[in-house]
Amino acid sequence: MSPQEIITSPIEIIVNPMGVCGAFEGELLGRVRLFDGNGKELAKGILLRSGPIVFTTTLEFDTRDSAQGLLVLQHQPEGDYIDPPEMLSLEIPIRFKP
């Protein structure tokens, strides 16, 4: 997905975390959240493993009140090598309407 891409409901989110800290051996502790342009949360999902180091979730949402929003991918690494655990986030601006 690229910034400012137009999305519609439902949307399948597919994440390949190769090279992301904490995604070692196909483990990803993460969630996906979708917000409208006013900061209202429209949908959220948990990333589930669906193959070798690929994670997916499907979001359904209603965008009547906004033409743009923000897709947020969050990952909470765990393990002995991380002290204290830090939430990693990736924010992608998106659009619901042209």
Side-chain angles (χ1 to χ4, degrees), residues 17-84:
M18 268 317 250
V20 174
C21 179
F24 182 69
E25 295 182 359
E27 296 177 9
L28 183 69
L29 303 172
R31 21 180 214 173
V32 177
R33 300 172 72 193
L34 180 65
F35 298 91
D36 70 9
N38 301 315
K40 176 183 173 189
E41 185 175 75
L42 301 177
K44 62 183 170 183
I46 301 294
L47 293 168
L48 302 173
R49 187 173 179 174
S50 70
I53 313 183
V54 173
F55 298 84
T56 66
T57 191
T58 299
L59 301 178
E60 295 184 18
F61 52 92
D62 178 9
T63 60
R64 281 180 260 179
D65 298 331
S66 188
Q68 59 189 4
L70 192 64
L71 181 68
V72 180
L73 303 173
Q74 297 175 309
H75 171 61
Q76 179 72 57
E78 68 175 16
D80 295 337
Y81 59 93
I82 300 173
D83 186 31

